[in-house]
Amino acid sequence: LIAHPVPRSSVVLQRALALLLMMLGAGAVVFLAIMLLRGPIELDLPIANIAAASLTLALLGALFGAVALLSGAIRGRRGFAVGVATLVAVVAFLANGLGPQVEGLEWVQELSPFHWFDGSGTLRDGLDPFNLFLLVATVVVLVYAAVAAFERRDVAV
């Protein structure tokens, strides 16, 4: 793929766009599924809150996808990229769940993308603009770092 006469940054940005579109599609499927089940299970939540939770879920997926994109841009190995993204997701999940449980480590939860996602809080209270900003900004920074890393990587076999 990179032997073709296209800029490396274009390759990474196109992959990032594809990732974002897939995650937004997955978020749309979640939204539609909840909307279809809303009546039968008597779910009394505002549609805007369901849409907000679906959007933030899609952005959470895009964030971990961007971690994999950056890892792949650095090393060029799919297994490494998946492993790093999985490790980051597990650590973030544990930080969100266990941080508040341990005396003196409550602050760790604030660093977790799962805390920024806040699915139940978003369903109850609606979209938190600051959390949305954190998710979007982190994805943008990770994609920018992936572009920079791939531009510098030696891809010779």
Side-chain angles (χ1 to χ4, degrees):
L1 176 67
I2 57 176
H4 296 238
V6 294
R8 288 184 180 196
S9 60
S10 176
V11 172
V12 176
L13 291 173
Q14 288 175 23
R15 285 185 179 253
L17 180 61
L19 168 71
L20 181 60
L21 291 175
M22 285 189 300
M23 290 298 101
L24 289 174
V29 168
V30 168
F31 174 76
L32 292 174
I34 293 172
M35 293 306 294
L36 288 173
L37 294 173
R38 191 169 178 240
I41 63 173
E42 299 177 8
L43 185 63
D44 188 27
L45 291 172
I47 294 173
N49 292 8
I50 297 170
S54 300
L55 173 64
T56 55
L57 179 63
L59 289 172
L60 180 67
L63 188 147
F64 293 119
V67 169
L69 185 69
L70 173 59
S71 303
I74 291 171
R75 288 286 307 263
R77 302 282 184 247
R78 180 176 296 215
F80 178 77
V82 170
V84 169
T86 302
L87 178 65
V88 170
V90 168
V91 169
F93 184 78
L94 291 174
N96 186 54
L98 297 178
Q101 310 284 332
V102 179
E103 179 90 24
L105 287 182
E106 298 87 1
W107 60 272
V108 172
Q109 183 183 33
E110 300 291 326
L111 302 176
S112 172
F114 287 100
H115 181 69
W116 307 337
F117 162 60
D118 189 23
S120 60
T122 303
L123 284 172
R124 182 183 59 248
D125 304 325
L127 189 61
D128 180 346
F130 183 69
N131 286 344
L132 178 67
F133 168 76
L134 288 174
L135 287 168
V136 170
T138 304
V139 170
V140 168
V141 167
L142 289 168
V143 169
Y144 179 78
V147 168
F150 196 61
E151 293 265 339
R152 292 187 187 101
R153 194 176 106 214
D154 181 11
V155 293
V157 178

